[in-house]
């Protein structure tokens, strides 16, 4: 290679986004980028580089290519202001980033070729090195991640705002059948995908007092004088859209102390006191969802919520100031979505910032707030609708409590005018709960201040209107709407299921990745026996991969040709993993009693975490593992039944499980699951659903066809009728076939090594109150499971049903969900980014 003379050099101008050395998407470009980062960033030579070194080098090389698009987008919005979606969420379960970003750039093959030059035969070897970011727990956080990806893929400018949790929730181990929580040290080796922005830090206050004064104009004002402060330092994560230039961002706030070291305390021997403020402040971003079973835990949760919401709103207001845009235009530039009640403090905080800092009038501030905020409700469960006692709230956020009192006073006055003399109505809608100790009802606060309130499935949204907030719906019927959840097909098919992706690309082309309705073209093959056989073979190949993983992790051999019957989700009584466990025992008994000839050979797979303080959920995990230990050790079950509990279920494991599943267990008590998104991922990958009419199951059944869905159980109205009649589960048991023998076997300690006390609390719960109607639905569940076995015996029919499930799930793309939000709630438009660069000629 010859040196170019100065007159031959073509140098990019400052601010150029097309640096060929950092934006090339060829194998050579990726290899050169890796080599550069190994040497200059990591200080390593290729011959001594570990797999982790190669992962980091490849990640930095890929991030370089994201920066081209990321910075171009920031400049474009600065030059031509447009409305940006701000998605506030306590969780963003984004999953591993390297494989996803390679897919988005379209350079998976190029990355594989670059790695081969380093002696790595498989890209998978390097992808397995990546730690999963501990930024979320379950469906709420995964939904937020899917939505950010779809926003970018649809070229809608957006920023996700959350917390940079140092330790996430926890890693799950199973010891002696019990869940054991260990620290999730996901940041221990660094994280190449984030960009710290200490120059954009924000100050956040807590505690203290308020005082009134008159400003220079003689107007009455209030100032908040906090007793403690924390600093929020933003860390930006680029979120690239699929094969577009739009690269949005996830901005995560890390808490730091305003003064991290007290020299005076240290010098007088108070060594803990010297760093006490640092420890206290940084606790804010240590752990996702601290246990709220203690006063300190509840206090920390509220502090976390205010911390990230305040930082985020300050950041939005600052963005207007930097562009010389008036504060009154805030709703034209930011559409703020509250993902559940965790960020609902945004109502009071935005009012505080506008009134106390920007010195707007109450009416002007309220107009901006109510035009900017929208609220998504995710649950009907009372314990998830956050309420904060006034003592706690007032001690942490005294100014916010004053503002909430005033918001409530004005709101209740408007209600009195519409419903004079109706005190019951006032008590029901008041933001302040006057019963059982006064408390701030955060869902009420969000509902009063938001221009739209949406549920996340058709049934759920109807229940929000008719059961959860009927009085609010009567006041503002136009405010309530539905946006059914969706999931991104890029991660959950294209990335997670490459074998299915290859088949789809071959028979219907590649457009389905961006337009999931294209999957409908698969229906043309529903009567093609050769294609149906190929469909089944593709599924079997994926199941072999999961079977290999199970053997590698647990030593248990499972038969890939058996029915993979899967329930993976957060462990909770209303999700009814214990109902599934009871049917496994019933099948076990049928086989033991010589009555199992018509049963499909099954591998029943469970996975999920229980909240550390939720004893019954942890006992259900122990119950499942007790059944697995007994079943898997019984020679009579060989080739007939296996039970697996996959520990530490997360996005990475989900990418293995969803594509390999035959049967999707969506068996929650009707009326309690808001939507679910796992049900959608299963169906997209060709799993058939056995489920109740709950959450998005209703719409999945409508889309895929009732004949391709195994329905069972009481409906929401049916559950209510059973409750109204006085539900007595102990009276049902004797009349339900197989159930008495199942319960007796548990009671005798058959699945607990003879310990008759271990599962007694679970049995007493089921046969006593049975709050989630497990006994009421058991018989019909067993009927549906028998239909599953019969259908499995006709593999052509099963493959056709599987094909049609995939073909008819286009509605459940998160792209459709985001279009619904953008058109009906946010009024946000696509803003395509063009990357160009002028070259100076010397």
């Amino acid at each position: 290679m010859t040196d170019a003379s100065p007159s031959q050099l073509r140098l990019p101008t400052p601010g150029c986004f097309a640096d060929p050395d950092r934006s090339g998407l060829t194998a050579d470009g990726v290899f050169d980028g890796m080599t550069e980062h190994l040497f200059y960033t990591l200080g390593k030579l290729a011959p001594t580089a570990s797999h982790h070194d190669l992962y980091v080098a490849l990640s930095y090389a890929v991030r370089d290519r994201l920066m081209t698009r990321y910075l171009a987008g920031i400049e474009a919005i600065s030059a031509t202001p447009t409305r940006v979606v701000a998605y506030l969420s306590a969780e963003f379960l984004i999953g591993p980033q390297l494989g996803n970003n390679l897919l988005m750039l379209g350079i998976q093959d190029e990355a594989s070729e670059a790695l081969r030059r380093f002696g790595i035969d498989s890209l998978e070897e390097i992808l397995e090195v990546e730690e999963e970011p501990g930024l979320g727990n379950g469906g709420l956080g995964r939904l937020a991640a899917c939505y950010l990806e779809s926003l970018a893929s649809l070229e809608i400018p957006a920023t996700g705002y959350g917390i940079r949790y140092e330790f996430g929730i926890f890693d799950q181990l199973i010891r002696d059948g019990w869940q054991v929580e260990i620290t999730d040290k996901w940041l221990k080796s660094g994280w190449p995908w984030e960009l710290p922005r200490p120059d954009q830090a924000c100050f956040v206050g807590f505690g203290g007092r308020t005082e009134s004064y008159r400003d220079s104009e003689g107007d009455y004002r209030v100032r908040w004088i906090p007793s403690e402060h924390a600093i929020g330092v933003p860390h930006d994560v680029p979120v690239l859209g699929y094969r577009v230039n739009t690269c949005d961002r996830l901005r995560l706030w890390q808490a730091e102390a305003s003064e991290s070291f007290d020299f005076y305390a240290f010098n007088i021997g108070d060594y803990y006191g010297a760093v006490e403020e640092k420890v206290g402040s940084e606790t804010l971003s240590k752990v996702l969802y601290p246990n709220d079973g203690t006063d300190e835990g509840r206090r920390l949760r509220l502090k976390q919520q205010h911390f990230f919401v305040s930082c985020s709103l300050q950041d939005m207001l600052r963005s207007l100031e930097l562009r010389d845009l008036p504060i009154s235009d805030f709703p034209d530039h930011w559409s703020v979505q509250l993902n559940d009640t965790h960020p609902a403090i945004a109502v009071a905080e935005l009012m505080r910032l506008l009134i106390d800092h920007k010195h707007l009038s109450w009416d002007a501030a309220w107009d901006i707030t109510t035009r900017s905020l929208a609220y998504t409700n995710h649950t009907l469960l009372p314990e998830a609708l956050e309420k904060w006692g006034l003592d706690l709230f007032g001690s942490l956020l005294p100014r916010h409590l004053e503002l909430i009192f005033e918001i409530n006073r004005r709101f209740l006055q408007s209600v009195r005018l519409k419903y004079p003399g109706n005190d019951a109505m006032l008590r029901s809608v008041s933001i302040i709960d006057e019963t059982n100790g006064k408390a701030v009802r955060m869902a009420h606060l969000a509902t009063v201040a938001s221009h739209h309130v949406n549920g996340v499935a058709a049934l759920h949204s109807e229940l929000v209107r008719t059961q959860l907030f009927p009085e609010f719906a009567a006041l503002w019927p136009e405010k309530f709407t539905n946006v059914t959840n969706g999931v991104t097909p890029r991660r959950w098919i294209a990335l997670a299921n490459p074998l299915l992706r290859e088949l789809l690309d071959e028979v219907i082309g590649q457009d389905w990745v961006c337009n999931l309705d294209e999957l409908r073209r698969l229906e043309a093959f529903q009567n093609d026996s050769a294609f149906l056989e190929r469909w089944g073979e593709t599924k079997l190949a994926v199941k072999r991969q999961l079977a290999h993983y199970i053997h590698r992790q647990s030593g248990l051999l499972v038969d890939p040709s058996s029915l993979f019957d899967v329930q993976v989700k957060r462990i909770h009584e209303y999700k009814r993993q214990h109902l599934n466990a009871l049917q496994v025992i019933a099948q076990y008994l049928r086989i033991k009693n010589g009555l199992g000839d018509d049963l499909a050979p099954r591998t029943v797979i469970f996975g999920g975490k229980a909240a550390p303080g939720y004893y019954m959920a942890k006992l259900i995990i122990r119950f499942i593992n007790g059944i697995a230990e007994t079943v898997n050790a019984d020679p009579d079950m060989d080739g007939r039944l296996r039970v697996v509990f996959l520990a530490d279920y997360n996005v990475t494991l989900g990418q293995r499980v969803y594509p390999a599943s035959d049967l999707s267990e969506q068996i929650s008590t009707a009326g309690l699951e808001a939507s679910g998104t796992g049900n959608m991922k299963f169906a997209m990958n060709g799993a058939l659903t056995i489920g109740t009419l709950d959450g998005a199951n209703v719409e999945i059944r409508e889309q895929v066809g009732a004949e391709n869905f195994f329905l069972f159980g009481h409906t929401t109205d049916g559950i209510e009728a059973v409750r109204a009649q006085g539900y007595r589960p102990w009276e049902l048991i004797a009349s339900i076939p197989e159930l008495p023998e199942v319960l007796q076997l548990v009671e005798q300690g058959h699945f607990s090594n003879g310990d008759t006390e271990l599962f007694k609390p679970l049995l007493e719960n089921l046969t006593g109150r049975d709050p989630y109607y497990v006994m009421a639905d058991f018989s019909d569940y067993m009927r549906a499971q028998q239909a599953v076995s019969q259908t499995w015996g006709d593999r052509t029919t099963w493959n056709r049903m599987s094909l049609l499930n995939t073909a008819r799930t286009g509605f459940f793309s998160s792209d459709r969900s985001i279009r619904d939000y953008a058109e009906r709630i946010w009024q946000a438009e696509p803003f395509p980014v063009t990357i160009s660069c002028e070259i100076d000629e010397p």
Side-chain angles (χ1 to χ4, degrees):
M1 179 177 179
T2 59
D3 292 334
S5 66
S7 62
Q8 295 173 314
L9 291 175
R10 294 168 59 83
L11 300 176
T13 59
C16 174
F17 306 109
D19 181 351
D21 292 333
R22 293 294 181 100
S23 60
L25 301 180
T26 64
D28 287 344
V30 175
F31 175 78
D32 290 344
M34 289 184 66
T35 303
E36 178 179 327
H37 280 294
L38 275 175
F39 192 88
Y40 291 108
T41 306
L42 301 180
K44 294 288 184 76
L45 296 173
T48 60
S50 66
H51 277 48
H52 186 268
D53 293 332
L54 293 173
Y55 155 71
V56 174
L58 178 56
S59 296
Y60 277 129
V62 171
R63 197 185 78 176
D64 289 346
R65 283 139 184 84
L66 302 188
M67 287 302 99
T68 301
R69 295 151 177 81
Y70 178 72
L71 294 173
I74 291 174
E75 288 295 309
I77 292 173
S78 179
T80 310
T82 187
R83 178 174 284 142
V84 179
V85 175
Y87 200 84
L88 271 62
S89 179
E91 298 183 41
F92 287 92
L93 194 60
I94 59 176
Q97 293 296 286
L98 177 55
N100 198 65
N101 283 323
L102 291 173
L103 173 71
M104 293 300 180
L105 289 168
I107 58 171
Q108 290 169 302
D109 292 341
E110 289 77 6
S112 296
E113 171 58 31
L115 286 170
R116 277 193 286 272
R117 300 180 192 180
F118 288 100
I120 302 298
D121 295 328
S122 168
L123 174 60
E124 189 66 27
E125 289 182 53
I126 299 303
L127 295 180
E128 288 182 350
V129 171
E130 184 169 3
E131 285 278 348
E132 180 158 331
L135 299 171
N137 176 33
L140 184 78
R142 186 52 237 169
L143 180 76
C146 284
Y147 280 1
L148 282 188
E149 191 260 68
S150 279
L151 280 160
S153 293
L154 295 174
E155 301 183 284
I156 298 173
T159 294
Y161 283 108
I163 298 177
R164 182 184 182 267
Y165 300 105
E166 183 177 348
F167 296 124
I169 184 164
F170 60 84
D171 284 338
Q172 181 194 58
L173 297 179
I174 301 298
R175 290 178 181 162
D176 299 324
W178 291 98
Q179 169 180 292
V180 175
E181 302 95 24
I182 62 172
T183 306
D184 176 14
K185 299 178 181 179
W186 70 279
L187 284 168
K188 63 181 182 293
S189 300
W191 195 38
W193 299 105
E194 63 182 355
L195 301 163
R197 305 290 197 193
D199 57 312
Q200 298 177 36
C202 297
F203 280 84
V204 181
F206 303 98
R209 58 187 174 84
T210 63
E211 62 181 26
S212 59
Y213 67 100
R214 296 282 175 178
D215 65 15
S216 58
E217 304 293 324
D219 294 327
Y220 176 83
R221 297 290 179 191
V222 176
R223 67 166 62 93
W224 176 26
I225 306 172
S227 58
E228 58 178 300
H229 292 86
I231 298 174
V233 178
H235 291 64
D236 291 348
V237 183
V239 181
L240 181 65
Y242 183 75
R243 312 292 169 86
V244 295
N245 289 330
T246 298
C247 188
D248 290 332
R249 69 176 177 179
L250 170 59
R251 173 157 279 195
L252 301 170
W253 299 97
Q254 175 179 296
E256 295 185 359
S258 56
E259 185 66 49
S260 61
F261 191 81
D262 185 338
F263 274 100
Y264 175 75
F266 185 85
N267 287 335
I268 64 173
D270 184 4
Y271 302 124
Y272 175 76
V275 294
E276 183 176 10
E277 183 178 350
K278 174 181 172 65
V279 172
S281 296
E282 295 180 1
T283 299
L284 288 172
S285 56
K286 287 290 182 186
V287 179
L288 169 66
Y289 296 151
N291 190 341
D292 59 0
T294 66
D295 289 342
E296 282 305 308
R298 285 188 291 274
R299 187 177 184 86
L300 179 55
R301 276 207 188 194
L302 181 55
K303 289 181 74 172
Q304 281 186 332
Q305 292 174 11
H306 172 61
F307 165 71
F308 95 86
V309 165
S310 178
C311 288
S312 303
L313 291 171
Q314 290 181 55
D315 191 52
M316 293 178 226
L317 290 168
R318 179 173 54 196
S319 75
L320 268 61
E321 295 170 2
L322 292 174
R323 292 177 289 172
D324 294 322
L325 297 170
I327 297 300
S328 58
D329 288 353
F330 184 91
D332 298 325
H333 296 280
W334 288 100
S335 185
V336 184
Q337 189 69 35
L338 309 179
N339 192 29
D340 217 357
T341 54
H342 308 117
I345 190 62
V347 177
E349 176 64 1
L350 184 54
M351 288 291 289
R352 185 188 71 84
L353 292 169
L354 294 174
I355 294 173
D356 295 354
H357 286 219
K358 304 303 178 184
H359 294 169
L360 269 61
S361 68
W362 180 278
D363 289 342
W366 186 245
D367 178 68
I368 290 172
T369 299
T370 56
R371 288 170 54 210
S372 302
L373 302 182
Y375 161 52
T376 300
N377 173 275
H378 281 279
T379 183
L380 303 171
L381 296 176
E383 65 266 25
L385 294 172
E386 290 183 309
K387 294 195 296 185
W388 300 108
L390 294 193
D391 289 343
L392 169 62
F393 200 99
S395 67
L396 271 180
L397 303 170
R399 178 57 176 149
H400 298 73
L401 188 57
E402 291 176 356
L403 291 166
I404 288 171
F405 282 152
E406 181 61 15
I407 291 169
N408 197 44
R409 184 190 69 80
R410 293 175 180 234
F411 165 60
L412 291 182
Q413 183 59 26
S414 70
V415 176
R416 286 189 188 94
L417 294 176
K418 191 167 185 177
Y419 297 95
N422 193 337
D423 290 342
M425 179 72 161
L426 295 176
R427 285 193 297 272
S428 180
V429 300
S430 175
I431 297 170
I432 305 302
D433 185 1
E434 304 282 352
T435 62
N436 301 320
K438 293 186 177 182
V440 181
R441 299 194 277 206
M442 302 306 287
H444 283 48
L445 178 63
T447 300
V448 168
S450 295
H451 55 80
H452 282 86
V453 176
N454 72 279
V456 291
L459 174 62
H460 171 244
S461 294
E462 179 63 22
L463 294 175
V464 167
R465 284 191 296 268
T466 60
Q467 293 187 13
L468 186 64
F469 296 138
E471 296 85 2
F472 287 111
L475 282 168
W476 302 302
E478 74 286 350
K479 181 179 286 195
F480 288 81
T481 188
N482 172 63
V483 179
T484 298
N485 284 348
V487 300
T488 168
R490 268 78 63 180
R491 181 178 287 274
W492 295 113
I493 303 179
L495 181 63
N497 199 345
L499 294 179
L500 178 58
R501 177 190 179 187
E502 289 175 12
L503 181 59
L504 295 176
D505 288 352
E506 177 188 332
V507 298
I508 63 172
Q510 299 180 5
D511 291 347
W512 64 269
V513 182
C514 294
N515 179 10
L516 207 59
D517 288 333
E518 284 288 302
L519 293 179
R520 281 277 180 180
R521 295 171 59 193
L522 287 170
E523 292 193 37
F525 300 91
Q526 62 179 297
N527 295 314
D528 184 334
S529 57
F531 184 79
L532 290 175
E533 184 175 350
R534 191 174 171 198
W535 183 268
E537 289 171 350
T538 301
K539 173 69 77 170
L540 181 59
V542 180
K543 289 168 67 178
R544 288 194 182 102
Q545 294 173 356
L546 180 58
H548 177 71
Y549 173 85
I550 291 170
H551 182 249
R552 196 174 71 207
Q553 295 296 312
S554 68
L556 181 66
L557 289 171
V558 301
D559 181 3
S561 66
S562 66
L563 172 70
F564 276 20
D565 178 354
V566 184
Q567 187 176 19
V568 287
K569 55 183 67 204
R570 182 168 51 91
I571 308 296
H572 197 290
E573 288 171 272
Y574 89 84
K575 295 177 184 289
R576 301 202 296 190
Q577 284 92 350
H578 45 351
L579 173 59
N580 190 357
L582 291 175
Q583 75 89 14
V584 172
I585 296 174
Q587 299 217 31
Y588 169 79
L589 280 169
R590 288 185 186 180
I591 297 170
K592 294 294 288 183
N593 294 332
L595 302 174
D597 290 345
D598 59 346
L599 296 179
R602 293 195 191 216
T603 299
V604 185
I605 300 171
F606 294 87
K609 295 177 180 179
Y614 189 176
Y615 173 74
M616 191 60 72
K618 296 175 86 167
L619 187 60
I620 288 172
I621 291 176
R622 178 64 183 87
F623 185 45
I624 292 166
N625 282 301
I627 295 168
E629 182 181 353
T630 301
V631 168
N632 297 339
D634 191 331
D636 292 343
M637 300 300 116
D638 290 350
R640 309 292 297 278
L641 185 62
R642 284 285 180 268
V643 181
V644 180
F645 188 93
L646 296 172
D648 204 33
Y649 187 75
N650 54 18
V651 174
T652 305
L653 193 46
Q655 290 176 200
R656 296 181 184 274
V657 171
Y658 292 117
S661 301
D662 294 307
L663 185 67
S664 163
E665 297 272 355
Q666 306 300 327
I667 61 177
S668 53
T669 310
L672 294 185
E673 185 73 82
S675 170
T677 52
N679 46 9
M680 302 169 188
K681 298 163 196 169
F682 279 115
M684 280 183 184
N685 282 280
L688 277 56
T689 302
I690 182 170
T692 55
L693 285 179
D694 194 29
N697 289 356
V698 177
E699 288 154 284
I700 289 175
R701 184 170 179 263
E702 290 172 354
Q703 292 290 327
V704 306
E707 68 280 7
N708 300 309
F709 186 107
F710 298 101
L711 178 67
F712 80 95
H714 287 79
T715 63
T716 304
D717 290 341
I719 291 288
E720 185 55 43
V722 171
R723 181 187 293 115
Q725 292 167 8
Y727 181 46
R728 292 178 291 275
W730 59 90
E731 295 179 358
L732 288 178
I733 293 170
S735 64
I736 299 174
E738 303 178 271
L739 185 55
E741 189 178 2
V742 167
L743 296 176
Q744 184 180 36
L745 208 59
V746 178
E747 187 177 13
Q748 292 172 346
H750 189 75
F751 303 104
S752 50
N753 296 312
D755 185 346
T756 58
E757 296 295 316
L758 180 59
F759 299 128
K760 192 172 182 179
L762 180 59
L763 288 171
E764 289 177 345
N765 178 276
L766 291 172
T767 60
R769 288 181 54 242
D770 190 20
Y772 298 103
Y773 299 87
V774 173
M775 302 292 97
D777 278 349
F778 180 83
S779 180
D780 203 32
Y781 183 47
M782 292 302 299
R783 175 201 55 76
Q785 289 287 6
Q786 187 62 34
V788 169
S789 284
Q790 291 172 354
T791 307
W792 180 257
D794 182 349
R795 201 54 56 84
T796 298
T797 298
W798 186 280
N799 288 341
R800 180 181 298 112
M801 294 168 71
S802 170
L803 174 78
L804 292 175
N805 266 262
T806 297
R808 295 171 178 175
T809 51
F811 177 78
F812 301 104
S813 169
S814 50
D815 294 350
R816 188 270 315 151
S817 302
I818 290 301
R819 289 191 185 98
D820 285 351
Y821 276 107
E823 294 169 7
R824 294 197 275 114
I825 296 178
W826 301 331
Q827 284 77 55
E829 298 287 340
F831 188 79
V833 175
T834 300
I835 298 177
S836 61
C837 183
E838 296 180 0
I839 303 295
D840 280 349
E841 297 283 355

